[in-house]
Amino acid sequence: MSRFPVLPPTYYHAHFTEMLAFVREVYATVLGEAEHAFIDAFETLSVEAQCLFIRMSNRKRPVFTVADLVYAEIGEVEWRLEELVETGFARPIGADDYRHWLDTLTRPMLEQMARDQGVAIQRQWSKAQLVHAVQTHIPFEAFAAGFSASTWVPGHRDTVGFLLYLYFGKLSDNLTAFTLRDLGVVSVRGQTAYQARFASREEALGGHLYTQALKSLKGATPEDYRRLAERVGDWPAAATPFVEDLRDRLMHDLGRFFERQKDGDRAIGFYAQSGLFESQERTIRLLHARGDVERVQGLLESMLDAPAHDEAFLFADDFYRRKFGKKRTSVFTDLLRDGEEIAADDLYRGLPELAAIHHYEAQGWTAHHVENGLWPALFGLLFWDELFEQPGALASGFDWMPQALKGNRFAALFPEAVAQRLKALEEGRAWPLIADTLARREGRENGVFGWWPGLGDLMRDFLSAASPAAVRDIVVALCADFQGLRDGFPDLMLIGPNGVKFIEVKGEGDQVRRHQLARLNLLRQAGFEAGILRVGFRPDPDQVYAVVDIETTGGQSAYERVTEIGAVKIRNGEIIDTWQSLINPERRIPPFITELTGISNEMVKDAPRFAEIADTFETFMKGAVFVAHNVNFDYGFLSAEYRRLERPFRYPKLCTVASMRRHFPGLAAYGLAPLSRHFGIELKNHHRALSDAMAAAELLKMVNEKRLSPLSPTGRGLG
């Protein structure tokens, strides 16, 4: 039996009419004559003709034969098609549809067609290049003559596309989202009222036009770029900041194309039509490469006098000082050099944040990997009601990002609420407000921040330790430009007796990005201590290891459970601690497992459940490398157990099987028992956790003698 509900045969008809009714109501002032005429005409069609039109419009292919339109719920397709043709909802294919038709063909079909018509093609061409060659060299009439059946296209494609754009706020050619909603695959936000995402018809039409143009450049040929570049100059000016942003992005993309084509003049021309900081940067770099020093200096001084944002100022300041102030290194390089440096064991390679957490925890800090989670969560929890509970907060049930954040309007829309929350932050009264939101709305999906286990505790601890004025200043910035500041924040937040500190972690070869530098500066200006930690990697003889072995009810971590954990902690080749516990798996242990391990249902019935030992085992593991024989088995099971508790489990790993193969090649077998026999390691009670962990610990000692040796050719490896 399917776990999904069964949809009625004409489910898509219900979805389409739902979309039309929504758009007609919410966008009454945005719809024009063309859209009203389409809706009125659609409603005069027979239901089966409506269904056929929707089927044609929902499919990705733009052209159809009658054979393509056979649906069980639509009878007498030829008659319905004739009805659509008579009313303008379908028509025979024409030369204007040629490119769309070619786009539906597969690459082999296009290649065969080109060969049949003697069109020269190259094997390395993209499909877009093949389509262009066929369209250029094979006339439409010759192409269409190769198809014996009559071919049709649905009408009103532009109108339907515009209506879908109004509903979803993005380009869409079907109503799959409605289907996924009805199947329970995606959730939606139910509201009593919705707010139009576009303030006027001009904004909606401009947004649709420029969004289509941006999409057309994905996979575009140079000829496509040039054709668009010729047309775009005649398009209407941007009516609103939303459309202006889209136009800026398009002009920047065209500028980048001409820069790649080594046409600097046209590149600079398009960059000049874009308000993006990135376009300003590219212009300055191109002009500097040409030697136009005076113009570059003037542009930089203008940016420094009136920077669009912190990132623009940082670029202009850095470039100006390096090029005109004889400064040889970048501010980014300086910041990396000034930051603290630590060395972590090679096994942390790829996990620099985890190495940093262990480093700071050893100093007495409480370290949290928050990155871009903390500040958006604080903002969302403080202003939940203004963001999500206002009438018309969202543009549709499928939207998650509040309309109030569009165009940096939030502070202007809710000045009293913003003033009240900022005062609460400054006076240290914000936590009760956040606790109230958590009690009412915890776990509700939204487009502002993600939930994670322990968010409430983290927020409480953060607010109690941080400077209220510093927190307030960051929230002020978020109220002014949430979208621009929602990412780039440092990886770690440290809480200690003297306050809060933020750290951006960089591993070997990592570079600080400009927006990360801007967030560090923002935090510093607010009064937080913030900096960069560089992590290097080398074999560390003082590293602590926890050699772990588990017993389970079976082999699949998604379904089976842990019955015993044994662990041995080692530093400098010496055992410094052990940990062992039977665990009640909360299910029956199969007889063959009992025969293998000796662990019976009777033995575990009074043992603690995993949730009851999770804290103590995590404490035992803190700061250690996770080691096991066939490490992914043990690590995978324990990760699954912690996931059931909605808790993370993340440690660097070392596998004694892989390590023994690497450092002691050529042995007959690498199972724990054969290796123990070969090297004379005591293994008294095989398949009991602590006994196996003790034996694996002896293997680890042998591996580390090789791995940590500076003379070993494999000493720098990961084991």
Side-chain angles (χ1 to χ4, degrees):
M1 179 181 293
S2 173
R3 61 187 180 93
F4 297 115
V6 177
L7 302 182
T10 57
Y11 64 91
Y12 55 91
H13 183 273
H15 295 160
F16 193 81
T17 54
E18 177 186 345
M19 182 273 293
L20 289 182
F22 180 94
V23 170
R24 175 182 268 173
E25 177 183 353
V26 176
Y27 292 92
T29 60
V30 173
L31 298 182
E33 291 183 6
E35 293 79 42
H36 282 298
F38 166 80
I39 296 172
D40 292 341
F42 177 81
E43 291 175 347
T44 66
L45 296 173
S46 67
V47 173
E48 287 191 321
Q50 290 178 353
C51 288
L52 184 59
F53 174 75
I54 298 167
R55 282 287 196 185
M56 295 173 73
S57 299
N58 273 351
R59 290 179 63 174
K60 287 187 178 298
R61 62 183 305 164
V63 298
F64 302 89
T65 65
V66 172
D68 299 320
L69 300 172
V70 177
Y71 299 102
E73 75 277 10
I74 303 176
E76 300 171 327
V77 171
E78 292 87 348
W79 289 8
R80 306 308 167 197
L81 188 56
E82 183 177 343
E83 181 181 351
L84 293 180
V85 172
E86 289 175 352
T87 54
F89 282 83
R91 59 176 173 77
I93 195 167
D96 291 342
D97 307 303
Y98 192 13
R99 173 61 185 264
H100 293 304
W101 196 350
L102 292 175
D103 286 337
T104 69
L105 303 181
T106 64
R107 185 185 182 92
M109 292 174 68
L110 291 166
E111 291 172 340
Q112 185 62 50
M113 189 178 302
R115 285 192 290 266
D116 292 345
Q117 297 292 327
V119 178
I121 59 174
Q122 298 181 28
R123 176 173 294 182
Q124 69 270 23
W125 276 1
S126 66
K127 183 181 176 182
Q129 290 173 308
L130 283 172
V131 167
H132 177 72
V134 171
Q135 184 180 12
T136 302
H137 298 288
I138 303 176
F140 170 73
E141 292 74 15
F143 170 81
F147 292 82
S148 58
S150 297
T151 310
W152 311 88
V153 296
H156 302 290
R157 274 199 177 275
D158 289 342
T159 300
V160 172
F162 181 60
L163 293 173
L164 290 171
Y165 179 74
L166 292 179
Y167 189 93
F168 289 111
K170 60 184 179 182
L171 297 182
S172 177
D173 55 9
N174 59 63
L175 296 170
T176 301
F178 285 81
T179 305
L180 296 176
R181 175 200 66 187
D182 291 354
L183 291 173
V185 176
V186 299
S187 57
V188 297
R189 289 288 304 261
Q191 300 245 309
T192 56
Y194 295 96
Q195 178 184 345
R197 69 178 81 250
F198 304 111
S200 66
R201 179 169 177 80
E202 290 72 26
E203 182 180 54
L205 288 171
H208 190 224
L209 177 68
Y210 285 106
T211 303
Q212 285 180 309
L214 286 164
K215 182 180 179 182
S216 74
L217 294 182
K218 294 181 178 179
T221 64
E223 291 77 11
D224 294 329
Y225 272 96
R226 291 191 173 91
R227 280 195 296 270
L228 181 58
E230 294 301 322
R231 299 196 334 262
V232 75
D234 298 327
W235 289 2
T240 65
F242 168 74
V243 182
E244 186 176 11
D245 179 65
L246 293 172
R247 180 179 171 84
D248 287 346
R249 286 162 52 192
L250 179 63
M251 296 303 172
H252 181 77
D253 286 355
L254 289 170
R256 289 291 287 168
F257 165 74
F258 285 109
E259 186 176 349
R260 291 193 298 269
Q261 299 295 306
K262 310 300 181 185
D263 189 342
D265 288 338
R266 294 201 73 184
I268 290 172
F270 279 105
Y271 287 146
Q273 299 178 63
S274 169
L276 295 183
F277 153 64
E278 291 81 2
S279 296
Q280 291 180 296
E281 178 184 357
R282 296 310 312 160
T283 297
I284 288 170
R285 294 188 184 281
L286 283 171
L287 291 173
H288 190 271
R290 288 180 170 186
D292 196 344
V293 176
E294 185 175 342
R295 190 175 172 189
V296 168
Q297 187 168 354
L299 289 171
L300 288 171
E301 288 173 352
S302 296
M303 291 178 69
L304 290 169
D305 290 339
H309 45 62
D310 284 353
E311 291 174 50
F313 177 82
L314 290 169
F315 163 74
D317 180 61
D318 179 58
F319 200 93
Y320 193 86
R321 287 194 292 152
R322 284 190 294 117
K323 302 302 182 182
F324 300 101
K326 309 303 182 183
K327 184 176 172 61
R328 298 184 60 190
T329 58
S330 151
V331 68
F332 310 125
T333 306
D334 288 346
L335 191 57
L336 281 169
R337 287 177 176 173
D338 293 343
E340 184 183 1
E341 297 184 23
I342 65 168
D345 192 274
D346 262 344
L347 296 168
Y348 282 91
R349 195 176 294 274
L351 299 170
E353 295 86 1
L354 194 58
I357 287 173
H358 292 163
H359 166 74
Y360 286 115
E361 286 178 339
Q363 295 182 357
W365 293 92
T366 300
H368 302 275
H369 190 180
V370 294
E371 202 165 349
N372 298 315
L374 175 71
W375 292 107
L378 176 60
F379 179 80
L381 291 169
L382 270 176
F383 297 106
W384 181 277
D385 289 347
E386 289 72 28
L387 292 168
F388 300 109
E389 306 297 343
Q390 302 296 314
L394 302 175
S396 80
F398 293 97
D399 279 82
W400 296 99
M401 184 59 67
Q403 286 290 92
L405 296 179
K406 179 182 175 182
N408 295 332
R409 302 178 302 161
F410 183 78
L413 287 174
F414 304 105
E416 292 184 8
V418 169
Q420 291 169 359
R421 308 301 152 71
L422 293 178
K423 187 174 180 60
L425 282 170
E426 190 170 359
E427 296 177 354
R429 297 183 291 101
W431 168 243
L433 302 176
I434 290 173
D436 176 68
T437 302
L438 286 165
R440 293 184 293 115
R441 296 292 184 251
E442 186 169 10
R444 280 190 61 174
E445 291 184 76
N446 66 88
V448 173
F449 67 96
W451 301 95
W452 69 87
L455 172 59
D457 292 340
L458 173 66
M459 203 63 69
R460 181 195 61 226
D461 295 345
F462 165 60
L463 290 173
S464 66
S467 159
V471 176
R472 177 208 58 207
D473 286 353
I474 302 299
V475 174
V476 167
L478 289 169
C479 288
D481 185 13
F482 177 81
Q483 300 287 20
L485 296 176
R486 67 181 306 179
D487 61 8
F489 283 102
D491 299 296
L492 304 185
M493 177 181 71
L494 311 178
I495 299 178
N498 297 320
V500 172
K501 182 176 181 178
F502 290 94
I503 299 293
E504 180 67 34
V505 181
K506 293 296 174 185
E508 293 175 349
D510 289 344
Q511 296 296 320
V512 62
R513 298 182 182 275
R514 191 180 292 125
H515 73 300
Q516 295 170 333
L517 179 60
R519 301 304 170 267
L520 287 170
N521 276 4
L522 178 67
L523 290 164
R524 285 175 167 179
Q525 290 169 6
F528 286 108
E529 186 177 354
I532 293 174
L533 176 75
R534 299 177 65 200
V535 182
F537 304 101
R538 59 170 175 75
D540 181 6
D542 295 322
Q543 175 62 52
V544 176
Y545 304 86
V547 187
V548 181
D549 188 81
I550 63 170
E551 305 301 333
T552 68
T553 60
Q556 298 294 320
S557 61
Y559 311 107
E560 306 295 344
R561 302 295 298 271
V562 173
T563 59
E564 186 180 32
I565 302 174
V568 179
K569 187 175 284 187
I570 292 179
R571 176 189 285 153
N572 295 318
E574 300 294 329
I575 295 176
I576 59 175
D577 201 0
T578 61
W579 194 97
Q580 187 275 334
S581 179
L582 287 168
I583 296 170
N584 185 338
E586 303 180 68
R587 67 181 58 193
R588 302 289 294 176
I589 300 175
F592 77 94
I593 293 291
T594 297
E595 185 176 347
L596 177 68
T597 66
I599 300 174
S600 66
N601 290 299
E602 182 66 24
M603 292 170 62
V604 299
K605 72 175 184 178
D606 295 323
R609 292 173 172 81
F610 189 86
E612 298 173 88
I613 59 90
D615 287 343
T616 56
F617 183 68
E618 187 173 36
T619 299
F620 179 85
M621 284 295 307
K622 181 165 286 192
V625 170
F626 187 102
V627 182
H629 208 66
N630 288 319
V631 69
N632 287 337
F633 176 84
D634 303 79
Y635 191 90
F637 260 93
L638 290 170
S639 296
E641 292 285 5
Y642 277 97
R643 275 197 304 274
R644 292 185 183 102
L645 302 176
E646 297 185 330
R647 292 172 57 170
F649 185 82
R650 194 170 183 229
Y651 298 89
K653 297 181 290 184
L654 184 148
C655 180
T656 50
V657 175
S659 298
M660 291 298 291
R661 288 184 187 278
R662 180 179 186 184
H663 296 294
F664 297 90
L667 302 181
Y670 287 86
L672 186 60
L675 286 173
S676 296
R677 285 194 298 272
H678 183 86
F679 291 104
I681 296 171
E682 185 177 30
L683 183 59
K684 288 184 177 179
N685 201 1
H686 191 25
H687 292 303
R688 287 302 301 271
L690 188 58
S691 176
D692 286 359
M694 286 287 192
E698 295 302 316
L699 297 178
L700 173 66
K701 294 177 185 179
M702 297 170 58
V703 166
N704 275 346
E705 286 180 5
K706 299 271 190 177
R707 191 178 75 86
L708 301 177
S709 170
L711 301 178
S712 169
T714 59
R716 195 177 173 278
L718 302 185

